[in-house]
Amino acid sequence: MTTSPNTQPAAQDSPQNGQKRRRRLNINIGTVVFLIILIYMVISVILYIGRDQYSVVEVQRGSIVDNGYFTGIILRSEELVNTTTSGTINFYVGNGEKVAKDGSVYVLGTSQDGGSGGDFSDFNSQNYTDLSRIISLYTSNYDDSSYSDLYTFKYDLQNQISEAISSHNISSLQTSSGTYQSVASDKSGIVSYTYDGMEGLTKDDITDDMFNSNNYEKYQIVPDQWLDAGSVAYKLITDDNWSIVIKLTPEQAKSLSDREAVTVRFSKDNIETSTNVEIFSNGESNYALLSLSKYMVRYIADRYIDIELIESSAEGLKIPTSAVTEKEFYKIPVDYLVTDEDTSEEGFYRYTYDSSGELNATLDKIEIYAKDEAFCYVDTSDFEMGDTIGKPDSSDTYRIGATGNLTGVYNINQGYAIFRIVDILYQNDEYCIVEDDTAYGVALYDRIILNAAQVNEDQIIY
């Protein structure tokens, strides 16, 4: 093919035809910022994952109450009194009331027909008030888990009703043509019409099996009931003093071994009282004998009783026990402590030798973490072991070396661990209650390390 002479081939870019064309570099500032942030976050996550993690708690005000809950066995000076003849019984003396020696307790009617039975016609306002009190006490303390309380409630009602019915029946007997016999007590005491066959029980008779009340039975003597000769007519308690026996674990026995008295709260009606305590063993288990002189009549129908033993309590700053540790300090006799008259700052005269070999004394003002009658406790970083201190206007000297431990926690308010003193008022397995005005101590809302064993002083936490 022939090319037209007027047509020229297109020029091609080449190094020979001129300089190489440069490409423009476009930089997006948003992309750069995003990459920087992404890299920072990745590095932060890596450092966070690789760093030891520490649990931190905030110091709060609180309390510790260490109580024990027990079912105890009641011991009393009590005896059963039997009838000598047969008859229908009614009572002169109400349940829980005192009877004097030779005082009439009950009456036996010779007729098996008895009196009026469940006649409530002679009930007065006081009778209804007493019944209402018993019902109110039971309902206010009702608990589904304490079903056995229902039986106590039943006996309390029966005893209260018996008084009114007996009074009516005795009046009926005295105005009728039937014969009856009034029976007096041989001795003074408190009368009860509930018995269980455990009368006369002493602490020496206690065994572990007795604390299982599943098969426990007690009996109620009610008015208009026919009794054969030799039957139980009533129970007589001859002493206001009584006691409760509770079974202890080895730890509880150890805790109470040096106590002479404890506070007891009765679960039935939340009454508290102080009792003497005696620890004893029958070779099988450890027990505590709680001796009381009040409220015996209140629980006269009970053999088993639920109580709360209030062993100890304290209020203050509440911290976990795991946060508590110890730190070693130098112990310096308080005789060497010097107070600056102008600033009231405290310190010690440290003896050093200068370059010419002369002995110089300088007052080092340092923190005193704790002080007792004999020693001041100072941080081991404030002195070197073997340093010498002295007294002003005296040739006496003391060489630094003796140490002692103080109890404290690690405060991290500043981001690193600082040892702070705690004065423990009370402690159990989980928490401590500490004084809130301790010098160089923790304060309310301070942040502390939960597990002190994980860190060292001055360690950076965050």
Side-chain angles (χ1 to χ4, degrees):
M1 184 174 83
T2 304
T3 303
S4 171
N6 297 325
T7 304
Q8 299 294 329
Q12 300 291 327
D13 288 336
S14 67
Q16 292 80 9
N17 293 332
Q19 292 183 336
K20 186 176 180 179
R21 182 176 296 173
R22 296 179 179 178
R23 293 184 179 181
R24 180 177 296 174
L25 181 62
N26 294 323
I27 300 176
N28 189 319
I29 189 65
T31 302
V32 173
V33 172
F34 173 78
L35 289 174
I36 292 173
I37 294 175
L38 179 63
I39 293 170
Y40 172 78
M41 292 178 64
V42 171
I43 293 174
S44 297
V45 170
I46 293 173
L47 291 176
Y48 179 81
I49 294 174
R51 187 175 64 187
D52 292 333
Q53 302 300 309
Y54 304 104
S55 297
V56 177
V57 294
E58 187 177 76
V59 177
Q60 298 286 343
R61 192 173 301 280
S63 62
I64 296 177
V65 179
D66 282 339
N67 295 347
Y69 297 86
F70 304 87
T71 296
I73 299 175
I74 294 177
L75 307 182
R76 290 175 286 247
S77 298
E78 53 192 353
E79 58 189 65
L80 298 179
V81 180
N82 298 328
T83 61
T84 56
T85 59
S86 301
T88 301
I89 192 169
N90 284 283
F91 315 119
Y92 287 114
V93 179
N95 189 72
E97 293 183 0
K98 288 186 176 181
V99 62
K101 182 181 178 181
D102 298 327
S104 295
V105 180
Y106 64 93
V107 60
L108 282 178
T110 57
S111 172
Q112 292 200 29
D113 293 338
S116 60
D119 189 345
F120 294 87
S121 60
D122 284 350
F123 264 41
N124 56 36
S125 60
Q126 184 59 49
N127 296 138
Y128 286 111
T129 298
D130 292 338
L131 287 174
S132 176
R133 176 184 56 81
I134 294 172
I135 295 171
S136 177
L137 180 63
Y138 173 74
T139 55
S140 62
N141 291 283
Y142 177 78
D143 186 350
D144 288 337
S145 62
S146 301
Y147 185 76
S148 59
D149 290 345
L150 179 62
Y151 295 100
T152 301
F153 172 59
K154 169 188 171 183
Y155 290 123
D156 289 342
L157 282 179
Q158 284 181 335
N159 284 323
Q160 193 63 50
I161 294 171
S162 294
E163 293 184 25
I165 293 179
S166 287
S167 177
H168 173 79
N169 290 346
I170 290 173
S171 297
S172 298
L173 280 172
Q174 291 172 341
T175 58
S176 70
S177 58
T179 60
Y180 61 90
Q181 176 189 9
S182 294
V183 181
S185 175
D186 292 338
K187 58 182 72 173
S188 62
I190 299 171
V191 173
S192 173
Y193 299 108
T194 303
Y195 67 98
D196 56 11
M198 297 176 70
E199 289 73 21
L201 186 68
T202 69
K203 74 171 189 178
D204 296 330
D205 302 321
I206 296 295
T207 64
D208 286 357
D209 292 340
M210 292 182 180
F211 288 89
N212 183 359
S213 60
N214 291 338
N215 297 322
Y216 173 73
E217 288 186 281
K218 60 182 176 181
Y219 309 94
Q220 183 82 18
I221 305 165
V222 297
D224 248 11
Q225 178 180 349
W226 176 266
L227 298 179
D228 293 327
S231 300
V232 176
Y234 64 95
K235 178 171 68 179
L236 187 68
I237 296 94
T238 56
D239 196 337
D240 287 330
N241 295 316
W242 59 299
S243 56
I244 302 172
V245 176
I246 57 175
K247 183 181 176 182
L248 304 174
T249 64
E251 294 76 15
Q252 290 167 336
K254 182 179 179 181
S255 174
L256 292 173
S257 60
D258 58 348
R259 304 280 294 276
E260 294 183 356
V262 293
T263 299
V264 169
R265 177 184 294 126
F266 298 102
S267 302
K268 185 176 182 179
D269 42 21
N270 289 321
I271 291 178
E272 288 187 16
T273 187
S274 178
T275 74
N276 295 329
V277 58
E278 174 193 347
I279 308 300
F280 70 97
S281 174
N282 65 352
E284 183 178 13
S285 297
N286 294 310
Y287 308 97
L289 181 73
L290 309 175
S291 301
L292 304 100
S293 58
K294 297 190 298 184
Y295 307 120
M296 189 274 293
V297 174
R298 198 176 190 94
Y299 310 106
I300 196 170
D302 299 317
R303 179 65 62 187
Y304 292 91
I305 187 166
D306 293 327
I307 63 171
E308 182 180 354
L309 208 61
I310 304 175
E311 294 190 49
S312 51
S313 63
E315 295 183 359
L317 300 182
K318 188 175 182 178
I319 61 175
T321 302
S322 61
V324 178
T325 186
E326 289 187 343
K327 179 184 174 181
E328 187 177 65
F329 289 83
Y330 282 132
K331 294 167 58 177
I332 302 177
V334 294
D335 294 343
Y336 289 84
L337 184 63
V338 178
T339 302
D340 189 305
E341 294 181 357
D342 296 328
T343 63
S344 298
E345 293 178 300
E346 295 178 320
F348 301 92
Y349 277 109
R350 189 199 305 257
Y351 287 169
T352 57
Y353 290 91
D354 60 19
S355 57
S356 61
E358 292 186 3
L359 184 64
N360 295 317
T362 57
L363 178 60
D364 286 351
K365 299 175 181 179
I366 60 176
E367 292 182 340
I368 310 299
Y369 277 77
K371 183 167 54 176
D372 55 31
E373 295 180 357
F375 295 100
C376 300
Y377 293 78
V378 302
D379 199 296
T380 53
S381 63
D382 291 328
F383 288 98
E384 295 288 339
M385 183 171 289
D387 281 352
T388 301
I389 61 173
K391 299 177 182 178
D393 304 323
S394 173
S395 59
D396 293 344
T397 60
Y398 177 80
R399 188 176 294 275
I400 303 295
T403 60
N405 291 336
L406 293 178
T407 304
V409 297
Y410 287 119
N411 179 304
I412 61 163
N413 289 348
Q414 306 301 321
Y416 59 95
I418 303 174
F419 186 83
R420 286 291 178 256
I421 302 293
V422 294
D423 182 10
I424 298 177
L425 302 176
Y426 182 76
Q427 177 178 345
N428 62 17
D429 293 337
E430 296 182 357
Y431 289 96
C432 299
I433 297 295
V434 304
E435 182 65 54
D436 58 358
D437 292 323
T438 304
Y440 302 102
V442 293
L444 189 63
Y445 307 127
D446 276 353
R447 301 176 73 238
I448 62 175
I449 292 292
L450 175 62
N451 189 349
Q454 293 181 332
V455 302
N456 298 310
E457 189 167 13
D458 296 328
Q459 181 176 334
I460 295 176
I461 305 302
Y462 57 84

